[in-house]
Amino acid sequence: MKQPTKKTVLLTAASCATLIGVGAGIATAAVSAHKAIPLKDPAGLAITKNADGSAKAFSIKTTCFGTAGCHGDAAAGTSSVLKYTYNDIEKHSYHAQLGANEIRGFNPFNIDSTDAFRTGAGPQGKNWVQSPGHVGSW
Amino acid sequence: MYKDGAGAVYNATTAQFETVLFGEVASGSSRVANVVGGSTKYYEPYNFTDAATFAQKADNSVAGEMRDCGECHVGGGAMEYMIDDSATVSGTYDASKRKSLREYVFGGAVTAFNALIDIFNETPANRGNVVVQDYSQTGVLEMDCLICHQNDYSWDKRKEAVRKGEFDASRAVGSKLAFSAKDGVNVFYNSTSVTATPAGLVANLEYKIVGKPTSNQCSSCHLGNSIETKNATTGTVTVTGGEKYQVDWKKRGEMWSQNGTILDVHGAIGCMGCHERTGATAGSTAAVGVSGNIGDNKLGLCDPAKGGASPFDAMWNKMDKVEFKDCSGCHEYTTAPAFATFGAPSSKGAHDRAGLTAKIAYDKAGAQVSHIDLIDCTACHIRKDGFSGGAFVDGSGADEEGRLAVHDTEYVAKGDMANGVALHWQNGKIYAANLLTSFFWRDMNGLKTANGGFDANNDGREAGMDPLLQTHVANINRLNGLHALTADGIVNAAEITTQQSAIAAGIRGQLGNGTTQATNAFLPKLSFLMVPFKASHNIASADRAWGKNGCKECHAAGAGFYNGAYPINGNMDGKFSFDSNQVTTFTKVNGLVDITDSHPNVVTKDGTRSLPIPILTKFDTPYVQTATPGQTLRNIDRSEVLYENTFQTVKQDWVASIQGGAIAAVCNAASPFYCDNATYIFNAAKKGATSTLGWTLKVDAKDSNGVITSRTAQVGNDMVTSVDQLVTALGSIGGTYFTVTAVDASTGLPAVSPAVNNSIKLAAADGYTIRINKLSDVGPFGLKGALWVNAPIVRGTNSYATRAQYVTYLNSIDAAAFGVGQTPVAGIAAINQETGTTAAPLVKDLSYNLNATGTPAAGAKFQWATNAGTAAVIADAAAASTTINFSKAGTYRVALTVTNVDGATATSYKLVNVTNPVYISVTAPATTSTTTTVPATATKPAYTYTTVITKVPVTLAAGTPTFDKVRFFWGDGSASTTITADALTTANAAGGQAHQYNRYSKYFKTATGKYTYKTTIQLFSGSTLVSSQSVVVEVP
């Protein structure tokens, strides 16, 4: 595997520095940010082209997160959005979870349960209602 | 999805159902550990074992959602991770115990997490095939940050990729960094934005990444029209993506633009204008959740704030309203908030003037509240004109793309959503909603399979009304060349019969042709479910809000706010017909009492009851022989979604015994019992629709210490034909707490032949009282009257028992009658009989009446005030009539301010002159003249002189302070006279204190011809002057 050139590293650092502003809620497009993003595959390896010109699809998790100065940098400081890892965001995002973290199981209705979801109208007799979210209750 | 954590078991000892937790499976009536390989396994994916079985039992799966719902959902969660059942040691969800789908070893298992039914195959003939996904080939749907944060992300490209299971590739093509996908994990990158370097490929997303998503990012998924761009010069509108007839509920943002014009008044501030969080910025640590546990009530780093909760939402409801601005956050704040309010105009003045802040409405507990308290802002401000929306979700077949129901054609839409908004209650508050009706096929055979029942969806549960698996319906349609019923814009009995027949012929093949499935009766019917999906967007400007033109804009017959016909049929109006035997009602609510075609979570104002809303013009029970053609769906009145036909509420008083009502005997249309007599049901197969399986009775018992124990039993006999059998089926539900017996309803005692028991009676054991639990079924047990009681709405002196009566009352409400828009009048009646030309003469320490005059507008508020400060006490300053008492002499002002319900005020004033009280008075002094003749002496001749003595009688009024001395200042130049209190009494008894006034000419008044003196009488208690009064004494 080839190592990033010094120039690339510098560009990456510049991009990530601007990301701090992005994450803090600056609405305008980040000028010069994300200009040179080294793409990484799901294993975290740099992506190179195959013989037919194709290449592995990049992973958000490894491309955007985990590099010093980028997202998911533990050294970013307590007040920086950059400290949040991919998993920090993903596991607590309702857009991502959609009920995957609230699964009640198959046929959850129980008239005697203290869980209002189980005693509610939703789960009664419907096998596709296994959570209050989308996953399990499409 | 999972083998463990499924269902509940019944503990006959406690008479309670117990949830089978994760890590457990049901074994008869017990929960036992889900032991695999010698240890308990938690969250073990349910293994369908092979593709054929999967096709027979599943329709959508998590893997299927990745290809279907993944077009919009950002990924992550179940689309990226499995719960790691090899590491999980508890049934409690633990976000740290997950494993990527890339790494999870499914072996040969066919589960909901790796198998799907391919409904999108580009070759229609291959649709319905089972695909077992190999995530090493497809990749996974990681959370794709760029969906929200790249300003030119392509929703269409992502959709195209996920439909084919090209999950890793979806991110690259969606971001446009790649032209196309080679396969699931490889792509062809765009060389203009991705550059090859010695270190690998480097992407350029300069100017494309935004921290706060723009509305275009949100709209690509949440708004029906996707992205519309209007050229400012030419006016040309370019629409990319989107679905013209997309239903509002689908992604909850609803459409808010048409032909490039944003129809929501908040368009200028964009989605994040309202959905930006109110709390700490995302960079602050305190308010950012990272646990994955919903219990911490924190939004994640990238979660926008969500609007209101809805019982029909399929999102993370725990996060609803967390850090959400809400309308009042910008429009009616009392303290300027830290978050951006965009200069939002205050709405309070307009609301006040419209009478909307007047407390003339009633909350769910009966307390008076304002319209603003009672009605969510959106309910009055949503105007959804300019585009179409959803009327139906047609579940009778797939759409042309392959999705398992039709959501977004012109036929299942409402052409004019301006007329497509109704109201509904959520926790006692009114919200706007789009009423969306889904319809689908289901099976009426509710018997146990051993008794001829049919498990039409292979879910293993016996009890009726199984909805068919949508994949099975789609497969059967495809095999028979059929389409969803609305595909051609007309639904009639003939095509329903055609599809019904095809399904009847094909369902067993889909289900696997097991022994019972092969022979037992299948009773397919169409069923309809209306759901009010909360509407939140398309907020119109204030000049178009409901009520802008006065109360009658809503409070009038057919006004279209809380009443008036609602277009349930949408664009299918007049084109949707069926025979009465082709359909069935959705369910019974309120303890299996009231039939309804609406969601059971559509509730009354106080939330105690589901609102039964039948929308079928007619449906047949098993006891009907001949169908009635030409039936359709009612375009209901909006008021039906707010008020039930007859107002009722729950009865929860504790009693010693409960006597049920008479239950109709078997084989009668009114009977709930199983009937297999063809004389009555005409077709033996229809006996399956009279199953008694699953009725549930739940009773609460309270002991003398107030401890409540609930006891539950479910009828496990699907063929109960009598009350005696019903009681037997309830087993030992009562335990030591109460008994359940079969009785004759007319006597309350066991029937004496030839009478039969037709009722059940519950009797509490000694030391207990009982009630029916509000979750219990009551209808088939004859216990409706034990749980529900009529509850008329009382307004003033009137009572309204039904929706019709109450709506008529609401329609008749006149704004003026409630004081809205009336000019306030503040008048003060004469105080202490003053005439109005001089200050009212009042005496210190006495109470005087204050009365408002005139007829104030209804609801007007009074406020009395004075400038006397602490020297005055007003008994009730907010009453129309009250009293005032001054403790200090002086001249003061009394004011009355009248405030009408809409905030208009008027004020009046009066002056009062407060004097010290008069205790001392003198009445009718008597004067005695005595003429004395002095005889002549040697040096003086005789002469006479006259002595005039005046007796001054002193009268002391009640309340005169205690005194012991009286001093008279006679006012004639003579010395004062001081006497004791007793001496005064003595003097008064003799006609008054005697005094000879000096008769100087200066005291003589010609006009009266009398001498006139100002005599001052003072009372002392010791050396303290306690009262003083000057009086006029006239002496002839």
Side-chain angles (χ1 to χ4, degrees), chain B residues 159-439:
Chain B
K159 175 183 174 182
E160 183 181 343
V162 298
R163 288 282 192 267
K164 293 184 284 192
E166 297 167 342
F167 300 133
D168 273 357
S170 68
R171 296 183 294 277
V173 296
S175 66
K176 299 180 182 174
L177 291 176
F179 282 123
S180 61
K182 176 188 177 187
D183 52 38
V185 296
N186 292 289
V187 297
F188 293 100
Y189 282 104
N190 181 343
S191 60
T192 61
S193 53
V194 177
T195 307
T197 74
L201 300 181
V202 176
N204 181 0
L205 287 173
E206 189 179 25
Y207 304 118
K208 293 184 176 181
I209 301 299
V210 291
K212 183 193 297 182
T214 67
S215 295
N216 275 354
Q217 262 96 44
C218 307
S219 65
S220 64
C221 284
H222 286 283
L223 306 182
N225 290 42
S226 191
I227 302 171
E228 296 184 350
T229 307
K230 186 175 185 178
N231 186 299
T233 305
T234 66
T236 302
V237 176
T238 303
V239 181
T240 54
E243 297 160 341
K244 183 177 179 183
Y245 303 105
Q246 184 159 314
V247 291
D248 287 357
W249 61 268
K250 194 173 180 185
K251 299 180 185 71
R252 298 311 317 278
E254 302 131 350
M255 291 180 280
W256 77 340
S257 65
Q258 180 74 7
N259 297 328
T261 299
I262 294 174
L263 299 176
D264 193 301
V265 72
H266 301 101
I269 62 174
C271 304
M272 291 303 291
C274 293
H275 290 279
E276 185 177 44
R277 292 146 68 155
T278 60
T281 59
S284 179
T285 57
V288 175
V290 295
S291 68
N293 180 357
I294 64 166
D296 66 8
N297 287 328
K298 291 179 179 177
L299 293 169
L301 178 68
C302 297
D303 289 333
K306 289 170 61 182
S310 165
F312 316 106
D313 276 350
M315 286 286 276
W316 192 343
N317 289 342
K318 189 81 174 177
M319 295 295 102
D320 281 340
K321 293 283 192 182
V322 174
E323 295 192 46
F324 188 63
K325 289 181 179 177
D326 226 328
C327 305
S328 59
C330 291
H331 289 282
E332 289 198 12
Y333 56 78
T334 51
T335 303
F339 54 79
T341 60
F342 305 98
S346 172
S347 49
K348 189 172 186 314
H351 288 160
D352 286 346
R353 289 191 295 276
L356 297 174
T357 55
K359 294 188 182 301
I360 56 178
Y362 295 83
D363 69 9
K364 65 179 182 179
Q368 284 207 283
V369 296
S370 71
H371 281 66
I372 295 294
D373 297 328
L374 185 68
I375 306 172
D376 189 70
C377 308
T378 55
C380 294
H381 285 270
I382 285 178
R383 292 291 197 185
K384 304 182 69 156
D385 46 10
F387 48 73
S388 59
F392 291 110
V393 173
D394 177 1
S396 66
D399 66 8
E400 295 309 308
E401 189 177 335
R403 292 177 295 190
L404 293 174
V406 179
H407 310 81
D408 49 14
T409 68
E410 64 179 297
Y411 304 122
V412 295
K414 293 186 182 78
D416 179 9
M417 278 301 292
N419 189 33
V421 180
L423 305 178
H424 71 298
W425 298 107
Q426 283 187 26
N427 193 25
K429 194 163 187 173
I430 291 173
Y431 292 86
N434 174 34
L435 307 186
L436 186 79
T437 302
S438 301
F439 60 94

Side-chain angles (χ1 to χ4, degrees), chain B residues 946-1021:
Chain B
T946 300
T947 302
V948 179
I949 300 297
T950 300
K951 289 188 176 180
V952 179
V954 177
T955 301
L956 299 175
T960 301
T962 301
F963 65 97
D964 56 11
K965 289 191 292 291
V966 183
R967 176 173 293 165
F968 293 83
F969 293 93
W970 300 106
D972 62 348
S974 62
S976 64
T977 304
T978 300
I979 62 175
T980 66
D982 290 341
L984 178 66
T985 301
T986 301
N988 277 339
Q993 177 66 30
H995 177 66
Q996 182 179 354
Y997 285 93
N998 293 320
R999 300 170 70 86
Y1000 301 140
S1001 60
K1002 65 180 181 180
Y1003 299 118
F1004 186 77
K1005 292 190 181 299
T1006 305
T1008 60
K1010 295 180 179 178
Y1011 292 89
T1012 301
Y1013 307 92
K1014 181 180 179 184
T1015 298
T1016 299
I1017 306 168
Q1018 294 180 330
L1019 306 181
F1020 288 86
S1021 176

